[in-house]
Amino acid sequence: MAKKKQNDPSKPVPEKPRVHKDLDGFDIQINSFGEITTSFDMDKINEFLNKNVDDKKLRDREDIPGRKTRKTKKKTSEEEEEEE
């Protein structure tokens, strides 16, 4: 008869990673077939990314709702004179 493995108390229990409060409970796994499985709907993840991540390819698009835009910094008078 095979012996059961004893739980080694010296091994730490893996902690859950810290996530944004909007993604609380988010879990992602890759199964044996290489498929990505998540605990959230892909549309909800994409909505979160559109709102919180600045994508340089989409900065000038206005048709994406909830998109985060880059704030432009004010030009100094020296920079304005150099452009002219």
Side-chain angles (χ1 to χ4, degrees):
M1 189 155 56
K3 292 184 177 180
K4 290 184 178 180
K5 291 184 180 179
Q6 298 291 330
N7 289 338
D8 189 5
S10 64
K11 290 184 180 179
V13 177
E15 296 180 16
K16 290 188 175 187
R18 293 181 305 154
V19 295
H20 193 276
K21 65 179 180 177
D22 292 341
L23 295 177
D24 191 31
F26 176 69
D27 187 34
I28 187 167
Q29 300 289 326
I30 300 175
N31 65 16
S32 59
F33 299 110
E35 297 173 331
I36 298 173
T37 57
T38 63
S39 59
F40 278 12
D41 183 34
M42 240 355 174
D43 291 332
K44 185 174 181 181
I45 296 170
N46 286 333
E47 182 182 321
F48 173 81
L49 292 173
N50 286 340
K51 185 171 56 172
N52 294 298
V53 178
D54 182 30
D55 188 346
K56 66 181 181 180
K57 293 180 181 179
L58 302 176
R59 281 184 188 149
D60 299 328
R61 292 192 48 183
E62 296 177 5
D63 61 333
I64 301 172
R67 159 185 63 81
K68 184 178 182 181
T69 58
R70 179 177 57 166
K71 297 189 181 201
T72 57
K73 63 179 184 177
K74 294 181 180 179
K75 293 182 181 180
T76 62
S77 59
E78 293 175 4
E79 291 175 345
E80 290 176 357
E81 290 175 1
E82 289 177 6
E83 287 182 0
E84 294 175 2

